[in-house]
Amino acid sequence: MAVVALLRHFGCPCCWELAATLKESKGKFDSAGVKLIAVGVGTPDKAQLLAERLPFPLDSLYADPERKAYDVLGLYYGLGRTFFNPASTKVFSRGDALKKATKNYTIRATPDDRSSVLQQGGMLYLKGSNYYTQERMKGPVTTLPWMISSISAAKFLLHEALGPSVVV
């Protein structure tokens, strides 16, 4: 089983927040036999910046410089979804968490192809060779309801693997 977080791009401050949350939960996923993977738009050197500065485990971080996985999965892309979406305003309600996660942030992690910042992310829950579900971010931020539903699906997989005593 695996949980795959498709980050918008390695220079997205909100994705640093999501990666920090994932990193904090990684031990629980590992002990349950659930592989935790993060994929981001950008080159391996941009992924390295996030991995070193957040920090985030490099063995769980993958770069998709050409957005191929995002295209195959049909994840949202575009100006309207990125900047003119009601979900975008929710970032202001998470100031403390965002500030903590971006303490060592650098804009140098942003993809050189600036159009990549319009890519939205998502979550995949994989079991064997099938995926259990796919969720698309509805805006440029990892909104609390989106993260809760993502974490809920991950908890479901953990419970399925280990039983109801597992708490994430």
Side-chain angles (χ1 to χ4, degrees):
M1 289 187 286
V3 173
V4 181
L6 291 121
L7 309 173
R8 292 184 56 230
H9 59 85
F10 297 118
C12 170
C14 296
C15 293
W16 283 51
E17 179 190 8
L18 175 58
T21 301
L22 294 171
K23 181 187 75 163
E24 290 170 8
S25 302
K26 189 173 181 325
K28 293 177 183 178
F29 283 98
D30 289 345
S31 66
V34 176
K35 177 83 173 153
L36 184 58
I37 299 167
V39 178
V41 174
T43 55
D45 61 312
K46 304 295 185 177
Q48 184 80 34
L49 284 169
L50 183 142
E52 289 173 357
R53 289 175 152 251
L54 189 55
F56 191 87
L58 196 55
D59 63 338
S60 296
L61 189 61
Y62 295 84
D64 184 357
E66 297 171 11
R67 302 189 318 260
K68 289 181 180 179
Y70 296 77
D71 290 342
V72 166
L73 294 168
L75 297 179
Y76 298 131
Y77 175 86
L79 188 64
R81 290 260 185 204
T82 303
F83 297 110
F84 303 110
N85 187 304
S88 300
T89 60
K90 295 187 180 178
V91 70
F92 300 111
S93 68
R94 299 187 333 275
D96 290 339
L98 191 60
K99 184 176 179 180
K100 180 181 173 190
T102 57
K103 183 174 114 181
N104 294 319
Y105 173 80
T106 177
I107 197 155
R108 292 180 306 141
T110 302
D112 293 330
D113 172 8
R114 296 297 191 238
S115 70
S116 293
V117 302
L118 301 177
Q119 180 64 60
Q120 298 301 297
M123 285 280 205
L124 289 176
Y125 311 101
L126 306 167
K127 185 175 180 186
S129 61
N130 301 314
Y131 65 88
Y132 166 70
T133 188
Q134 171 187 335
E135 294 184 40
R136 298 182 220 183
M137 286 186 189
K138 294 180 175 37
V141 298
T142 53
T143 61
L144 187 58
W146 181 82
M147 286 180 72
I148 288 171
S149 66
S150 298
I151 291 167
S152 295
K155 282 184 183 179
F156 173 81
L157 289 176
L158 288 171
H159 285 281
E160 189 174 277
L162 297 178
S165 62
V166 175
V167 177
V168 178

